[in-house]
Amino acid sequence: MESFFIDVLLFLWKNCFTNFSTGVPLGIPLNSPDRLLGRLDSEDASNLVLNGERTVLISREQNGDLSPVTNLVTSGRRDVVSRSLSGAKSFCDDEMDLEDGKVEKDRVKTLRCYRPIKLHNQSLLSGLAYCISSCSMILVNKFVLSGYDFNAGISLMVYQNLVSVLVVSILRIFGVISTEPLTWKLVKVWFPVNVIFVGMLITSMFSLKYINVAMITVLKNVTNVITALGETYLFMKHHDKRVWTALFLMIISAFSGGMTDLSFHAIGYIWQTLNCFLTASYSLTLRRVMDTAKQVTKSGKLNEFSMVLLNNTLSLPLGLLLIFAFNEVDYLYKTPLLKMPMFWLVITSSGFLGLAISFTSLWFLHQTGATTYSLVGSLNKIPLSIAGILLFKVPTSLENSLSILFGLLAGVFFAKAKLQERSQS
């Protein structure tokens, strides 16, 4: 298992980060947020994400989470899952990403800043890099939490955020990217969003430890339902029947998947439910705060890497407090994992993957377009789910497999419905 992740990490380094350092578009200053959201012109308009679990984007979400609807929470990315898990679909007029909660109003300017180098098959290469980085984020986190049986999810989040802060700061010092200076006015405006962001990442870590990757991808679809309801009542945003039909199918798949999950863990499902509400809250709150935050910056803008730096920097002191509150200090002091160089390599790579999701998402979007990006992000959950089941030897049944497939196809249907809704409006 360790050799598999090492091979994946080496591949990402050679094919993604090497390209960035040699002038691939993603090394140019970016004027947009995450998980990658906002309203572009007809060719590039999209719903984008990041865990992810970053996806958070940029969040890793998350949610890691790794498809356009889910995932780049690097700034909001690592959707863990959140920075994880995810992709892109939006509900807001400002094209708010449901998983990573990033606004893309400035993405047009971002894309115009790109100066791509001449490479053959850039669309294929960028798409492959995006799929690999987004899938790897959640798989690496799952490997750390379950494979190594690491029981300090908050500490892992803090370390990943620290890696992101250091990398972004180094890139800024060398002039590769530009970020807004962190002022007290900006910190005050952003702090409520950051509290939700930290909660989103932590709950994503905790749920990922107990729930298999395939079910995580299905359950995170519930975030889209909560966000849609929130936008309907808070922002009077209306959606057509196809969107609501897709959301209804997502709910059915989540319930059927949970009932047929042979590795069902109540604690994990509770954490994932909290994660869905926090991710939706992050998306809705970010929409309200974004305009105010831009007003207190010197340039009047808040690009993606500024959000990454802001979110991850503010999360460090809060994360340290939670480490003591959850008594992870004793565990860190006793665990032999911290004495293993391979373990440090794996968790450090997870921090780089959070940023890789952001870079590759922007690169892929620039090389293709909104439709391709959104659909690939949704379809990317299918190999992710299969890989999660096979790599971690998840016990499953025909009923559970069909429920997972049903949920994944509902996500694809949702992506197409949102694209059609946007084109008609």
Side-chain angles (χ1 to χ4, degrees), residues 40-59:
L40 306 179
D41 45 28
S42 59
E43 179 181 358
D44 293 314
S46 82
N47 325 336
L48 316 166
V49 174
L50 238 211
N51 154 144
E53 222 9 295
R54 279 193 200 276
T55 112
V56 41
L57 105 41
I58 287 188
S59 232

PDB file of all heavy atoms in Angstrom, residues 40-59:
ATOM      1  N   LEU A  40     -18.400  33.008 -15.515  1.00  0.00           N
ATOM      2  CA  LEU A  40     -17.475  33.311 -16.588  1.00  0.00           C
ATOM      3  C   LEU A  40     -18.281  33.615 -17.834  1.00  0.00           C
ATOM      4  O   LEU A  40     -19.481  33.524 -17.859  1.00  0.00           O
ATOM      5  CB  LEU A  40     -16.577  32.096 -16.850  1.00  0.00           C
ATOM      6  CG  LEU A  40     -15.851  31.580 -15.613  1.00  0.00           C
ATOM      7  CD1 LEU A  40     -15.026  30.380 -15.995  1.00  0.00           C
ATOM      8  CD2 LEU A  40     -14.989  32.658 -15.034  1.00  0.00           C
ATOM      9  N   ASP A  41     -17.578  33.923 -18.923  1.00  0.00           N
ATOM     10  CA  ASP A  41     -18.283  34.099 -20.165  1.00  0.00           C
ATOM     11  C   ASP A  41     -18.768  32.740 -20.643  1.00  0.00           C
ATOM     12  O   ASP A  41     -18.506  31.721 -20.046  1.00  0.00           O
ATOM     13  CB  ASP A  41     -17.397  34.768 -21.226  1.00  0.00           C
ATOM     14  CG  ASP A  41     -16.017  34.167 -21.265  1.00  0.00           C
ATOM     15  OD1 ASP A  41     -15.901  32.985 -20.910  1.00  0.00           O
ATOM     16  OD2 ASP A  41     -15.079  34.877 -21.647  1.00  0.00           O
ATOM     17  N   SER A  42     -19.491  32.711 -21.762  1.00  0.00           N
ATOM     18  CA  SER A  42     -20.207  31.503 -22.156  1.00  0.00           C
ATOM     19  C   SER A  42     -19.299  30.301 -22.296  1.00  0.00           C
ATOM     20  O   SER A  42     -19.692  29.175 -22.050  1.00  0.00           O
ATOM     21  CB  SER A  42     -20.924  31.745 -23.489  1.00  0.00           C
ATOM     22  OG  SER A  42     -19.982  32.094 -24.492  1.00  0.00           O
ATOM     23  N   GLU A  43     -18.055  30.495 -22.679  1.00  0.00           N
ATOM     24  CA  GLU A  43     -17.166  29.349 -22.887  1.00  0.00           C
ATOM     25  C   GLU A  43     -16.644  28.814 -21.583  1.00  0.00           C
ATOM     26  O   GLU A  43     -16.499  27.618 -21.393  1.00  0.00           O
ATOM     27  CB  GLU A  43     -16.002  29.768 -23.787  1.00  0.00           C
ATOM     28  CG  GLU A  43     -15.027  28.627 -24.019  1.00  0.00           C
ATOM     29  CD  GLU A  43     -13.857  29.044 -24.880  1.00  0.00           C
ATOM     30  OE1 GLU A  43     -13.841  30.207 -25.306  1.00  0.00           O
ATOM     31  OE2 GLU A  43     -12.983  28.200 -25.123  1.00  0.00           O
ATOM     32  N   ASP A  44     -16.340  29.694 -20.629  1.00  0.00           N
ATOM     33  CA  ASP A  44     -15.693  29.245 -19.400  1.00  0.00           C
ATOM     34  C   ASP A  44     -16.594  29.321 -18.187  1.00  0.00           C
ATOM     35  O   ASP A  44     -16.147  29.095 -17.079  1.00  0.00           O
ATOM     36  CB  ASP A  44     -14.429  30.081 -19.151  1.00  0.00           C
ATOM     37  CG  ASP A  44     -13.381  29.806 -20.196  1.00  0.00           C
ATOM     38  OD1 ASP A  44     -13.161  28.622 -20.489  1.00  0.00           O
ATOM     39  OD2 ASP A  44     -12.811  30.765 -20.728  1.00  0.00           O
ATOM     40  N   ALA A  45     -17.860  29.702 -18.364  1.00  0.00           N
ATOM     41  CA  ALA A  45     -18.743  29.773 -17.211  1.00  0.00           C
ATOM     42  C   ALA A  45     -18.849  28.410 -16.587  1.00  0.00           C
ATOM     43  O   ALA A  45     -18.995  27.440 -17.257  1.00  0.00           O
ATOM     44  CB  ALA A  45     -20.116  30.229 -17.649  1.00  0.00           C
ATOM     45  N   SER A  46     -18.752  28.312 -15.275  1.00  0.00           N
ATOM     46  CA  SER A  46     -18.842  26.983 -14.688  1.00  0.00           C
ATOM     47  C   SER A  46     -19.112  27.000 -13.233  1.00  0.00           C
ATOM     48  O   SER A  46     -19.015  27.987 -12.562  1.00  0.00           O
ATOM     49  CB  SER A  46     -17.571  26.207 -14.922  1.00  0.00           C
ATOM     50  OG  SER A  46     -16.643  26.557 -13.989  1.00  0.00           O
ATOM     51  N   ASN A  47     -19.446  25.804 -12.790  1.00  0.00           N
ATOM     52  CA  ASN A  47     -19.563  25.528 -11.377  1.00  0.00           C
ATOM     53  C   ASN A  47     -18.336  24.746 -11.091  1.00  0.00           C
ATOM     54  O   ASN A  47     -18.107  23.776 -11.723  1.00  0.00           O
ATOM     55  CB  ASN A  47     -20.729  24.625 -11.102  1.00  0.00           C
ATOM     56  CG  ASN A  47     -21.822  24.923 -12.042  1.00  0.00           C
ATOM     57  OD1 ASN A  47     -21.893  26.016 -12.550  1.00  0.00           O
ATOM     58  ND2 ASN A  47     -22.655  23.970 -12.282  1.00  0.00           N
ATOM     59  N   LEU A  48     -17.539  25.232 -10.201  1.00  0.00           N
ATOM     60  CA  LEU A  48     -16.300  24.543 -10.008  1.00  0.00           C
ATOM     61  C   LEU A  48     -16.134  24.154  -8.580  1.00  0.00           C
ATOM     62  O   LEU A  48     -16.714  24.707  -7.711  1.00  0.00           O
ATOM     63  CB  LEU A  48     -15.161  25.452 -10.417  1.00  0.00           C
ATOM     64  CG  LEU A  48     -15.449  26.171 -11.699  1.00  0.00           C
ATOM     65  CD1 LEU A  48     -14.469  27.282 -11.881  1.00  0.00           C
ATOM     66  CD2 LEU A  48     -15.417  25.245 -12.831  1.00  0.00           C
ATOM     67  N   VAL A  49     -15.280  23.214  -8.395  1.00  0.00           N
ATOM     68  CA  VAL A  49     -14.993  22.883  -7.039  1.00  0.00           C
ATOM     69  C   VAL A  49     -13.530  22.702  -6.790  1.00  0.00           C
ATOM     70  O   VAL A  49     -12.917  22.043  -7.535  1.00  0.00           O
ATOM     71  CB  VAL A  49     -15.507  21.535  -6.668  1.00  0.00           C
ATOM     72  CG1 VAL A  49     -15.040  21.237  -5.297  1.00  0.00           C
ATOM     73  CG2 VAL A  49     -17.002  21.546  -6.701  1.00  0.00           C
ATOM     74  N   LEU A  50     -13.388  22.290  -5.170  1.00  0.00           N
ATOM     75  CA  LEU A  50     -12.278  21.594  -4.802  1.00  0.00           C
ATOM     76  C   LEU A  50     -12.452  20.820  -3.768  1.00  0.00           C
ATOM     77  O   LEU A  50     -12.992  20.835  -3.023  1.00  0.00           O
ATOM     78  CB  LEU A  50     -11.346  22.359  -4.468  1.00  0.00           C
ATOM     79  CG  LEU A  50     -10.103  22.712  -4.719  1.00  0.00           C
ATOM     80  CD1 LEU A  50      -9.533  22.935  -4.511  1.00  0.00           C
ATOM     81  CD2 LEU A  50      -9.628  22.953  -4.823  1.00  0.00           C
ATOM     82  N   ASN A  51     -11.475  19.701  -0.549  1.00  0.00           N
ATOM     83  CA  ASN A  51     -11.632  18.807   0.228  1.00  0.00           C
ATOM     84  C   ASN A  51     -11.631  18.907   0.627  1.00  0.00           C
ATOM     85  O   ASN A  51     -10.808  18.963   0.995  1.00  0.00           O
ATOM     86  CB  ASN A  51     -11.159  17.913   0.254  1.00  0.00           C
ATOM     87  CG  ASN A  51     -11.163  17.607   1.066  1.00  0.00           C
ATOM     88  OD1 ASN A  51     -11.187  17.317   1.201  1.00  0.00           O
ATOM     89  ND2 ASN A  51     -10.418  16.992   1.784  1.00  0.00           N
ATOM     90  N   GLY A  52     -11.943  19.306  -0.076  1.00  0.00           N
ATOM     91  CA  GLY A  52     -11.835  18.561   0.082  1.00  0.00           C
ATOM     92  C   GLY A  52     -11.667  18.680   0.703  1.00  0.00           C
ATOM     93  O   GLY A  52     -11.514  19.372   0.659  1.00  0.00           O
ATOM     94  N   GLU A  53     -11.444  18.042   0.106  1.00  0.00           N
ATOM     95  CA  GLU A  53     -11.489  18.022   0.949  1.00  0.00           C
ATOM     96  C   GLU A  53     -10.841  19.025   0.954  1.00  0.00           C
ATOM     97  O   GLU A  53     -10.755  19.352   1.469  1.00  0.00           O
ATOM     98  CB  GLU A  53     -11.591  17.138   1.664  1.00  0.00           C
ATOM     99  CG  GLU A  53     -12.131  16.668   2.702  1.00  0.00           C
ATOM    100  CD  GLU A  53     -12.632  16.807   3.168  1.00  0.00           C
ATOM    101  OE1 GLU A  53     -12.555  16.947   3.232  1.00  0.00           O
ATOM    102  OE2 GLU A  53     -13.132  16.716   3.591  1.00  0.00           O
ATOM    103  N   ARG A  54      -9.836  19.940  -0.366  1.00  0.00           N
ATOM    104  CA  ARG A  54      -9.619  21.356  -0.448  1.00  0.00           C
ATOM    105  C   ARG A  54      -9.903  21.765  -1.826  1.00  0.00           C
ATOM    106  O   ARG A  54      -9.251  22.469  -2.355  1.00  0.00           O
ATOM    107  CB  ARG A  54      -8.191  21.685  -0.268  1.00  0.00           C
ATOM    108  CG  ARG A  54      -7.885  21.696   1.169  1.00  0.00           C
ATOM    109  CD  ARG A  54      -6.595  22.302   1.398  1.00  0.00           C
ATOM    110  NE  ARG A  54      -6.128  21.930   2.598  1.00  0.00           N
ATOM    111  CZ  ARG A  54      -6.424  22.494   3.715  1.00  0.00           C
ATOM    112  NH1 ARG A  54      -7.175  23.492   3.758  1.00  0.00           N
ATOM    113  NH2 ARG A  54      -5.968  22.055   4.819  1.00  0.00           N
ATOM    114  N   THR A  55     -10.950  21.393  -1.733  1.00  0.00           N
ATOM    115  CA  THR A  55     -11.270  21.305  -2.642  1.00  0.00           C
ATOM    116  C   THR A  55     -11.064  21.790  -2.416  1.00  0.00           C
ATOM    117  O   THR A  55     -10.663  22.535  -2.105  1.00  0.00           O
ATOM    118  CB  THR A  55     -11.773  21.147  -2.798  1.00  0.00           C
ATOM    119  OG1 THR A  55     -12.277  21.434  -3.089  1.00  0.00           O
ATOM    120  CG2 THR A  55     -11.441  20.488  -2.954  1.00  0.00           C
ATOM    121  N   VAL A  56     -10.782  22.105   0.333  1.00  0.00           N
ATOM    122  CA  VAL A  56     -11.045  22.265   0.400  1.00  0.00           C
ATOM    123  C   VAL A  56     -10.620  22.469  -0.687  1.00  0.00           C
ATOM    124  O   VAL A  56     -10.137  22.941   0.113  1.00  0.00           O
ATOM    125  CB  VAL A  56     -11.425  22.270   1.103  1.00  0.00           C
ATOM    126  CG1 VAL A  56     -11.186  22.291   1.580  1.00  0.00           C
ATOM    127  CG2 VAL A  56     -11.841  22.211   1.796  1.00  0.00           C
ATOM    128  N   LEU A  57     -10.476  22.778  -1.821  1.00  0.00           N
ATOM    129  CA  LEU A  57     -10.213  23.309  -2.299  1.00  0.00           C
ATOM    130  C   LEU A  57      -9.567  23.610  -2.149  1.00  0.00           C
ATOM    131  O   LEU A  57      -9.418  23.562  -0.865  1.00  0.00           O
ATOM    132  CB  LEU A  57     -11.147  23.597  -2.057  1.00  0.00           C
ATOM    133  CG  LEU A  57     -11.505  24.282  -1.476  1.00  0.00           C
ATOM    134  CD1 LEU A  57     -11.411  24.451  -1.485  1.00  0.00           C
ATOM    135  CD2 LEU A  57     -11.238  24.171  -1.122  1.00  0.00           C
ATOM    136  N   ILE A  58      -9.912  23.639  -3.450  1.00  0.00           N
ATOM    137  CA  ILE A  58      -8.945  24.268  -2.643  1.00  0.00           C
ATOM    138  C   ILE A  58      -9.131  23.881  -1.209  1.00  0.00           C
ATOM    139  O   ILE A  58      -8.166  23.835  -0.498  1.00  0.00           O
ATOM    140  CB  ILE A  58      -9.107  25.740  -2.786  1.00  0.00           C
ATOM    141  CG1 ILE A  58      -8.597  26.106  -4.141  1.00  0.00           C
ATOM    142  CG2 ILE A  58      -8.335  26.445  -1.767  1.00  0.00           C
ATOM    143  CD1 ILE A  58      -8.518  27.513  -4.354  1.00  0.00           C
ATOM    144  N   SER A  59     -10.230  23.681  -0.696  1.00  0.00           N
ATOM    145  CA  SER A  59     -10.441  23.229   0.626  1.00  0.00           C
ATOM    146  C   SER A  59      -9.883  21.915   0.845  1.00  0.00           C
ATOM    147  O   SER A  59     -10.106  21.369   1.802  1.00  0.00           O
ATOM    148  CB  SER A  59     -11.888  23.170   0.883  1.00  0.00           C
ATOM    149  OG  SER A  59     -12.368  23.325   1.247  1.00  0.00           O
TER     150      SER A  59
END
